[in-house]
């Protein structure tokens, strides 16, 4: 995992979400409006993300910002970090917690079973 992904804070992640959602580079004001935050905070977050190499900027009449880090790559890292931090590295323990807390509905479980079957090519979804 690159240093960029390991150093993105939750506040910076909110900025990244806005940038990922856009098909085009965004200005500071567009990012600020999407976040509903004050301009100085947003400007600071964008500056830090640029310094970390997670966001690129392009000077036109004003600066435009675009993500340099893929959402899926960061998502995989953040998911593994959560599993390691809260569930001692056990994805099974995380899923069990989701089931116990009622976070997974029957349809979710059926979709997961389908994913396992596709992954391993067996009727019962086992490896």
């Amino acid at each position: 995992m690159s240093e960029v992904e390991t150093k993105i804070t939750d506040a910076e992640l909110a900025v990244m979400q806005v940038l990922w959602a856009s098909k085009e580079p965004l200005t500071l004001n567009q990012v600020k409006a999407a976040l509903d935050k004050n301009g100085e905070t947003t400007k600071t977050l964008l500056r830090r993300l640029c310094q970390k190499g997670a966001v690129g900027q392009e000077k036109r009449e004003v600066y435009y910002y675009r993500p340099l880090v893929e959402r899926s790559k960061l998502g995989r890292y953040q998911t593994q970090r959560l599993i390691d931090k809260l569930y001692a590295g056990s994805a099974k323990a995380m899923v069990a917690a989701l089931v116990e807390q009622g976070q997974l509905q029957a349809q979710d479980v059926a979709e997961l079973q389908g994913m396992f079957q596709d992954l391993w090519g067996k009727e019962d979804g086992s490896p």
Side-chain angles (χ1 to χ4, degrees), residues 108-121:
D108 299 324
V109 173
E111 287 177 25
L112 288 170
Q113 286 175 328
M115 287 179 190
F116 293 141
Q117 289 171 1
D118 290 345
L119 182 62
W120 291 302

Side-chain angles (χ1 to χ4, degrees), residues 72-112:
S72 61
K73 189 173 181 184
L74 183 61
R76 284 191 299 272
Y77 169 74
Q78 294 286 358
T79 300
Q80 187 60 54
R81 191 170 139 200
L82 174 70
I83 291 169
D84 291 344
K85 186 185 249 185
L86 298 178
Y87 300 100
S90 171
K92 178 181 168 186
M94 183 182 82
V95 172
L98 292 171
V99 170
E100 290 169 6
Q101 295 169 14
Q103 298 294 317
L104 291 176
Q105 305 305 317
Q107 182 178 347
D108 299 324
V109 173
E111 287 177 25
L112 288 170

Side-chain angles (χ1 to χ4, degrees), residues 36-47:
D36 197 30
K37 290 187 181 246
N38 73 56
E40 282 305 307
T41 300
T42 305
K43 187 175 183 178
T44 299
L45 293 170
L46 283 166
R47 183 178 32 70

